[in-house]
Amino acid sequence: MFQPPLPPEYSRLSDVEAVDRIQAAKRTLGERVVILGHHYQRDETIRHADFRGDSYKLAKDGAAQEKAEFIVFCGVHFMAESADILSGGRQKVILPNLSAGCSMADMASIHQVRACWRALERLGVGSDVVPVTYINSAASLKSFVGEHGGAVCTSSNCAKVLKWALAQGEKILFFPDQHLGRNTALAMGFDESQMVIWDPLATEENGGETAERLRDAKFILWKGHCSVHGRFNVRQIEYARERYPDVRVIVHPECRREVVEAADDSGSTEKIQRVVRDAPNGSKWAVGTEINLVNRLAHEEKANDKLVFCLDPIVCPCSTMYRIAPANLLWVLESLVRGEIVNQITVPPDVASNALLALDRMLTIAG
Ligand code: CIZ
Ligand code: SF4
């Protein structure tokens, strides 16, 4: 989505100047507003958050604040949509910069998913397929999944959701992240030969796959990826091990297969933080995920004499998260103080109801 320029007063503001005014606006709004900050958000912004977490935890935290009229989500678009769906319209959800999207979520559109589904129906396998979408997806995709008997998953509960889906049908269509799908299926004991890739941009029909392979596959993985996690490679892991022979390597499952296999462990943002925090004092950790999370963990665990560093020596921030600058946060808060709601994210009720079904199924499956 397009974010028109902020009023000049805000666009000229430095991060430091914004701090006092953000705190003053928060005090004025009191319990009427709750600010959520995703783990990948930069320090200058996340310091103002009432809750920190991954996308699903935050959406639930927001909905649980019953006194709050407004949820200001310092994250990206699909997260604000999930918060709106889970809040059931009781709160108004605000995204401080409308252009804060997710390049991975944008790799699957509802039109492309519908075209894929029609092709699978033409091949005679439509009724065998259960669709599963990663939470990093537009509300319209979650709605499609809800309508077609599937569920949402996060990087924490993907294996449980895939297991459930395979009890409902013969095969899974997984979007938009091929890597989370592949890494999870491999960890569950499936073989790469049971997986095919659906390329929504393929010029050939059937997403660039043969009809036979699509009919035989257990997993149809959408050709999408995260550009931040795509930067990690095996060479970086080897280098970290050469430098610190006792280092432990933990990466996010959005990384490529060979990176996950070369690491000691993998997991969601919540898991990565838990594992490093629970590790013995003095341990060393090379982490393959977004730099803002890694830097905060490094800073925090320094007190416990732990060395925590990012696998990629060249900074790899999520550039869309970065678009939520303190000035954007200030602008939405001061607008609320003036009684003006800007940048509200609303999911149409017909889309929200099926999307909620898909999210609720995930909750029932994964708890
Ligand atoms: O769901 C999230 O917040 C993301 C993007 C990743 C994770 O592992 O938490
Ligand atoms: Fe999307 Fe990747 Fe940013 Fe996560 S890190 S929000 S998947 S672009």
Side-chain angles (χ1 to χ4, degrees), residues 104-328:
M104 176 209 282
D106 291 345
M107 288 177 193
S109 74
I110 185 64
H111 307 290
Q112 292 169 328
V113 168
R114 286 212 178 102
C116 170
W117 197 257
R118 281 195 299 272
L120 295 174
E121 283 176 338
R122 270 198 308 274
L123 293 173
V125 292
S127 55
D128 300 339
V129 183
V130 180
V132 174
T133 186
Y134 188 18
I135 194 158
N136 292 29
S137 55
S140 53
L141 272 71
K142 294 185 177 84
S143 174
F144 177 92
V145 161
E147 194 186 331
H148 292 85
V152 175
C153 76
T154 67
S155 43
S156 310
N157 58 30
C158 187
K160 284 186 186 161
V161 174
L162 294 189
K163 190 167 170 243
W164 167 86
L166 287 175
Q168 316 300 308
E170 287 299 310
K171 50 176 91 222
I172 291 174
L173 171 63
F174 187 88
F175 41 83
D177 184 23
Q178 58 168 305
H179 301 293
L180 179 65
R182 180 182 300 106
N183 288 323
T184 310
L186 289 168
M188 289 166 74
F190 291 96
D191 191 84
E192 181 120 25
S193 62
Q194 295 167 286
M195 306 170 203
V196 294
I197 295 284
W198 179 277
D199 180 358
L201 303 176
T203 43
E204 312 86 21
E205 58 174 3
N206 294 335
E209 272 298 347
T210 63
E212 194 188 355
R213 274 173 53 82
L214 282 165
R215 285 200 190 98
D216 288 348
K218 203 84 189 139
F219 297 90
I220 302 167
L221 305 174
W222 195 266
K223 194 175 180 193
H225 68 275
C226 163
S227 41
V228 176
H229 291 92
R231 289 181 55 97
F232 297 111
N233 60 52
V234 175
R235 181 69 203 111
Q236 293 161 350
I237 298 183
E238 288 165 353
Y239 181 70
R241 294 200 198 280
E242 279 159 24
R243 194 140 179 240
Y244 304 104
D246 55 345
V247 77
R248 302 273 302 158
V249 180
I250 186 163
V251 302
H252 197 280
E254 288 171 20
C255 293
R256 283 172 286 127
R257 173 185 181 167
E258 61 270 25
V259 175
V260 171
E261 285 178 348
D264 298 300
D265 202 354
S266 66
S268 65
T269 54
E270 293 286 331
K271 175 173 169 182
I272 291 174
Q273 293 177 96
R274 189 178 66 245
V275 168
V276 174
R277 284 180 184 140
D278 291 351
N281 286 3
S283 52
K284 299 184 181 67
W285 291 90
V287 183
T289 194
E290 209 271 350
I291 190 76
N292 285 291
L293 182 157
V294 182
N295 282 348
R296 264 194 299 277
L297 200 54
H299 183 70
E300 169 199 310
E301 291 302 317
K302 217 171 162 176
N304 297 318
D305 202 25
K306 289 180 214 172
L307 174 70
V308 180
F309 60 95
C310 184
L311 268 180
D312 188 350
I314 302 158
V315 177
C316 51
C318 173
S319 57
T320 49
M321 287 272 174
Y322 194 78
R323 293 181 184 159
I324 312 284
N328 294 76

